[in-house]
Amino acid sequence: MIRKYHFGNPLNTEAVVKEYPIDKGEIPCIEVKEGEKISFIMTKGAPVYGLGEQVRGINKRGWIYTSNCTDDPNHREDTHSLYGAHNFLVFAEAEPFGLFLDNPGKVTFDIGYTQQDIAVITMDSWDMDLYYIDGKDLKDIVKQFRHMVGRSYIPPKWAFGFGQSRWGYQSEEDIREVEQRYRELDIPLDSIYLDIDYMERFKDFTLNDETFPDFPEFVKEMQEKHIHLVPIIDAGVKIEEGYPVYEEGVEKGYFCKEKDGKDFVAAVWPGRVHFPDMLNPEARRWFGLKYKFLLEQGIDGFWNDMNEPAIFYSENRLEKVFDELETFRGKNQDLMTHFHFKDLVLGLANNPEDYRSFYHNFNGEGTLIRHDKVHNLYGYNMTRAAGEAFEELEPDKRILMFSRSSYIGMHRYGGIWQGDNLSWWSHLLLNIKMMPSLNMCGFLYTGADLGGFGADTTEDLVLRWMQFGLFTPLMRNHAALGTREQELYQFSNSEACGNMVKIRYSLLPYLYSEYMKAALRDEMMFRPLAFDYPEDPFADQVEDQLMIGDSIMAAPVHEQNATGRYVYLPEDMMLVTMRSPEDYDVQPMEKGHHYVPAAMEELIFFIRKNHVIPVAKSAKSVAEMDFEHLDLLGYVTEEAVYELYDDDGYSKDYENPEHYETITVTSQGTISQNGKMKKEFGKFSGIR
């Protein structure tokens, strides 16, 4: 059951796609002091789930989290905000319930930080809709919420292949080298990403003609090798006479304004920029249709960046800082003076004062709304601009799209990557813990920068991160300019890294099927153990093992130099130890606590009892995969039934019943089928 409560004069964020009557009564279990706080007394030890892209654990108790989309690549445990704002929580009480605050401004969640068993929610603005969701269990609450906010984005099938990215690929030759090195080592690869260097001086919807002299031909060349090029698009439009995007935006009034009506001036990669007003439908459509420039050259995937929006500095604030810095000249800088001097410069980027100094023509209604009151909607609507344009320009084709910044609702238009992380083992663990929370909020197409974006990675970190990343829908190795090169061929153990990618491709029939079923049924692909084993007293204590789809439990190794890990099995399962798609061992294990060896080159995961997974022969790209002739891997003591979903991977007839097939495996190893796809299944491997 979903109850809707109305506070103040809320803006229509369009996060929710269903209509609900406004409830005039009290919110069950919740104390509301309007204009001050919303609070709830939590049962001691009862977990709290949700908040999507955030720091710390799957259980959110014990910290303060802020929904305030923030560009913070150096995030640590004491961070409060990341790139997304996802105001959905589930309280795992004896009678569980969920809360969604549809509030586009800054919202703070004190989940037992100030007082251990009290959750307190405060916000800058009380203009919002609040939704209270109760259900029979945690899965049911999430399913109701996901139905309320609409179907998750569905990418093309090729986007489930492995992608290589690096800030610093500056030319066609750089890209060719990446493709050639991967092919020489027989490592599968489906996409290579173009960071800001492909543009002419970092200007959106332009090309550097010196380094990419014949871009359409180059795109075609890569496509013939089954490589999709995926360019970046940034939020800021360079201020430059003669640049059509800038001149059109100024002429039509499509940029964010200062209070006096002047176009707001900030700075990002190209220097001085204007921000398109993504909250004005006319400006949003104008910007979205600009993607046509690259679509017409054969591009079929994009990633949106810097769309919190990130600000290096605003022109007005920069002048104030220059003036104040001048006063320090010739003076003795003592302790406090020195820190003030440093803070003036360090405080230029993403300064709250700047976010309070520009305005939006919200929904094109002519009333200006200050940016900080709708800050969390910006990245959402930038990606919406692209998604709606794709529906207009390429209505019958799936286009890859994912973003850095997001709000609930954006999940209908694209996925997200989990922001600029670091090559830290703690960020691998954070990647693991973040997946279920993002799935709860509708973000199914997601993953982290494998190996870490910033800082210098290590070979073992890349390999262990690959062993988790091979399960995530977005599987991309990405690194920053100036860091250690971390393409898989850079390492002495490139064969082991390549084998992990090959395992990914062999698991694609299962991973794609589970993704599509989760998207079409408003369910989670990645789940905490407690969601599947609610009666198990240990399940809610396990935060580094995840259920993935119907059959698999992942238990990644996430500590340096570890040659194994402790695992808790909530039921009897089959351990799979894989070194390559063809080289693996299986072992039945009883419910309980175990230490499981896992050498550096070994992937471990578990298959549930009386469950199977379909597997395929790996290939160099998704386009070269054989999805018609499959094998089965599983643990069958009685009977296992698996529902397989498969389609062509690029069209949109998702509901077609011919995409489904039911496979039944008996304890004698007999395989029977009931469906219209007519897949051919060869051997059954595993335990029976």
Side-chain angles (χ1 to χ4, degrees):
M1 177 185 235
I2 298 175
R3 299 180 176 96
K4 177 181 178 179
Y5 299 87
H6 211 56
F7 294 92
N9 185 27
L11 299 169
N12 182 10
T13 67
E14 300 183 66
V16 175
V17 298
K18 303 290 182 183
E19 291 291 334
Y20 299 91
I22 296 171
D23 195 315
K24 302 289 187 181
E26 293 185 351
I27 307 175
C29 315
I30 303 292
E31 181 182 359
V32 178
K33 292 185 178 179
E34 192 163 348
E36 184 180 339
K37 65 180 181 179
I38 295 170
S39 59
F40 171 69
I41 299 175
M42 301 178 288
T43 301
K44 188 174 182 64
V48 179
Y49 300 103
L51 294 183
E53 187 178 45
Q54 264 294 359
V55 296
R56 301 206 170 209
I58 292 175
N59 181 358
K60 290 296 185 285
R61 288 185 71 142
W63 190 237
I64 296 178
Y65 309 90
T66 304
S67 284
N68 186 43
C69 297
T70 304
D71 174 19
D72 182 7
N74 300 310
H75 46 274
R76 311 178 306 181
E77 278 191 48
D78 61 351
T79 296
H80 298 284
S81 301
L82 288 179
Y83 299 93
H86 308 133
N87 303 336
F88 176 53
L89 285 168
V90 175
F91 292 85
E93 298 287 322
E95 295 184 2
F97 65 92
L99 289 180
F100 172 51
L101 286 75
D102 192 3
N103 186 327
K106 184 177 178 181
V107 182
T108 299
F109 301 86
D110 181 337
I111 313 296
Y113 172 77
T114 302
Q115 293 181 266
Q116 199 169 65
D117 295 324
I118 299 179
V120 178
I121 304 171
T122 57
M123 56 224 78
D124 286 359
S125 169
W126 275 74
D127 294 325
M128 67 173 178
D129 288 321
L130 184 149
Y131 296 84
Y132 178 95
I133 309 167
D134 59 16
K136 61 183 180 182
D137 55 29
L138 303 177
K139 283 185 177 180
D140 180 48
I141 290 167
V142 171
K143 188 178 180 77
Q144 289 186 68
F145 172 71
R146 293 272 304 283
H147 185 66
M148 182 177 93
V149 298
R151 176 181 290 173
S152 296
Y153 162 76
I154 295 175
K157 189 185 284 189
W158 65 260
F160 289 82
F162 178 57
Q164 180 61 58
S165 182
R166 182 176 178 84
W167 173 17
Y169 296 155
Q170 297 190 2
S171 67
E172 292 181 359
E173 289 310 309
D174 289 344
I175 304 299
R176 287 191 181 99
E177 180 184 1
V178 172
E179 187 273 335
Q180 289 167 4
R181 296 287 297 276
Y182 272 100
R183 297 305 188 216
E184 286 168 2
L185 292 175
D186 195 33
I187 299 175
L189 186 68
D190 264 274
S191 54
I192 301 176
Y193 288 77
L194 305 179
D195 212 314
I196 54 177
D197 297 297
Y198 82 93
M199 304 178 191
E200 179 198 337
R201 292 178 291 118
F202 312 134
K203 296 187 294 185
D204 281 340
F205 312 113
T206 66
L207 292 162
N208 185 332
D209 292 334
E210 293 182 5
T211 55
F212 294 90
D214 192 346
F215 193 68
E217 272 303 309
F218 181 59
V219 173
K220 183 179 178 182
E221 173 192 331
M222 288 293 110
Q223 287 174 339
E224 289 172 350
K225 298 176 180 179
H226 300 297
I227 295 293
H228 299 259
L229 298 179
V230 184
I232 197 170
I233 301 293
D234 286 331
V237 171
K238 181 176 174 63
I239 298 171
E240 181 178 277
E241 296 297 328
Y243 171 34
V245 181
Y246 161 72
E247 292 186 337
E248 285 177 25
V250 170
E251 178 189 351
K252 296 178 179 179
Y254 285 160
F255 293 126
C256 294
K257 307 293 183 186
E258 295 182 358
K259 194 170 185 178
D260 62 6
K262 294 179 181 177
D263 290 332
F264 175 69
V265 179
V268 282
W269 302 118
R272 298 167 68 247
V273 298
H274 293 323
F275 291 127
D277 188 354
M278 301 297 181
L279 307 188
N280 176 352
E282 285 188 17
R284 185 166 62 238
R285 182 173 183 271
W286 165 78
F287 188 84
L289 291 176
K290 293 296 177 188
Y291 288 77
K292 183 179 181 181
F293 169 74
L294 290 161
L295 290 172
E296 289 181 335
Q297 301 187 63
I299 293 298
D300 53 6
F302 301 87
W303 48 309
N304 283 347
D305 196 13
M306 304 295 285
N307 53 351
E308 291 71 34
I311 297 176
F312 292 173
Y313 60 85
S314 72
E315 191 166 70
N316 291 339
R317 184 165 182 77
L318 183 64
E319 287 303 316
K320 292 178 184 177
V321 169
F322 278 143
D323 289 343
E324 190 165 352
L325 288 176
E326 189 63 31
T327 67
F328 287 83
R329 189 184 297 276
K331 293 183 179 179
N332 176 44
Q333 290 193 33
D334 61 14
L335 175 66
M336 299 311 296
T337 307
H338 174 67
F339 280 109
H340 180 57
F341 181 92
K342 286 177 62 178
D343 289 344
L344 282 171
V345 177
L346 295 175
L348 279 169
N350 306 318
N351 191 284
E353 182 181 314
D354 288 336
Y355 291 123
R356 292 191 293 268
S357 65
F358 65 97
Y359 293 77
H360 297 274
N361 180 6
F362 189 80
N363 282 341
E365 296 169 354
T367 302
L368 294 181
I369 294 180
R370 204 172 70 192
H371 173 80
D372 62 306
K373 297 181 181 298
V374 290
H375 172 71
N376 295 327
L377 299 182
Y378 193 86
Y380 157 24
N381 280 279
M382 179 183 175
T383 298
R384 177 182 177 181
E388 290 176 340
F390 299 157
E391 286 295 320
E392 185 174 339
L393 298 169
E394 297 275 7
D396 300 320
K397 183 179 180 181
R398 300 186 216 171
I399 305 293
L400 172 62
M401 167 53 69
F402 60 93
S403 170
R404 191 169 75 177
S405 181
S406 61
Y407 182 82
I408 289 169
M410 199 212 83
H411 70 285
R412 301 191 297 269
Y413 302 99
I416 62 171
W417 91 99
Q418 291 159 23
D420 295 347
N421 58 5
L422 290 162
S423 297
W424 293 349
W425 290 88
S426 62
H427 278 190
L428 164 56
L429 182 58
L430 180 59
N431 177 197
I432 296 165
K433 293 182 177 183
M434 207 184 287
M435 291 297 293
S437 302
L438 285 167
N439 275 206
M440 289 173 65
C441 296
F443 293 95
L444 297 185
Y445 190 76
T446 184
D449 288 341
L450 304 181
F453 174 70
D456 291 326
T457 196
T458 60
E459 184 167 347
D460 54 347
L461 176 57
V462 170
L463 186 50
R464 290 302 196 191
W465 215 324
M466 294 288 290
Q467 290 168 3
F468 177 66
L470 67 84
F471 291 109
T472 62
L474 171 60
M475 186 188 186
R476 178 179 77 150
N477 178 318
H478 183 42
L481 185 70
T483 63
R484 179 181 184 177
E485 294 179 325
Q486 62 186 49
E487 295 85 1
L488 303 186
Y489 51 75
Q490 304 287 358
F491 301 109
S492 60
N493 206 354
S494 59
E495 182 180 2
C497 291
N499 283 335
M500 294 306 118
V501 183
K502 291 176 182 178
I503 292 171
R504 157 58 166 235
Y505 280 67
S506 72
L507 294 178
L508 272 180
Y510 176 78
L511 295 173
Y512 184 75
S513 177
E514 294 305 304
Y515 182 96
M516 294 300 293
K517 289 185 292 185
L520 296 174
R521 296 169 181 173
D522 297 329
E523 294 174 347
M524 299 168 65
M525 182 179 176
F526 288 74
R527 303 178 303 281
L529 268 59
F531 278 53
D532 285 47
Y533 303 94
E535 305 303 322
D536 190 301
F538 299 107
D540 65 11
Q541 299 297 301
V542 180
E543 295 227 335
D544 61 351
Q545 300 170 211
L546 300 177
M547 307 307 297
I548 303 177
D550 182 61
S551 303
I552 286 178
M553 184 184 77
V557 177
H558 53 81
E559 294 181 337
Q560 189 161 31
N561 303 318
T563 56
R565 58 159 292 165
Y566 287 93
V567 174
Y568 174 67
L569 301 185
E571 63 172 322
D572 293 355
M573 293 185 178
M574 181 178 80
L575 168 65
V576 182
T577 304
M578 274 193 168
R579 292 161 288 275
S580 75
E582 297 80 26
D583 180 11
Y584 61 88
D585 304 311
V586 297
Q587 176 187 347
M589 301 186 76
E590 294 182 350
K591 172 182 176 178
H593 301 272
H594 303 268
Y595 180 81
V596 179
M600 191 67 63
E601 299 83 7
E602 293 179 332
L603 165 72
I604 59 168
F605 64 93
F606 296 83
I607 297 179
R608 298 174 67 184
K609 191 174 184 179
N610 291 315
H611 285 71
V612 295
I613 61 172
V615 294
K617 184 175 176 58
S618 181
K620 293 181 180 179
S621 67
V622 171
E624 297 170 273
M625 290 279 294
D626 180 0
F627 288 99
E628 300 304 316
H629 301 85
L630 305 175
D631 293 326
L632 293 170
L633 175 64
Y635 182 16
V636 183
T637 59
E638 297 173 1
E639 181 179 272
V641 179
Y642 183 74
E643 184 183 34
L644 176 65
Y645 180 101
D646 191 31
D647 58 23
D648 62 19
Y650 58 84
S651 58
K652 299 180 179 178
D653 62 334
Y654 308 124
E655 311 291 350
N656 189 335
E658 295 191 357
H659 297 331
Y660 292 90
E661 185 159 342
T662 301
I663 301 104
T664 303
V665 183
T666 67
S667 58
Q668 289 76 40
T670 304
I671 302 171
S672 60
Q673 298 165 250
N674 178 21
K676 302 190 178 179
M677 290 190 297
K678 307 299 183 189
K679 302 284 186 188
E680 293 186 21
F681 291 92
K683 64 180 180 178
F684 169 82
S685 301
I687 305 294
R688 64 174 184 263

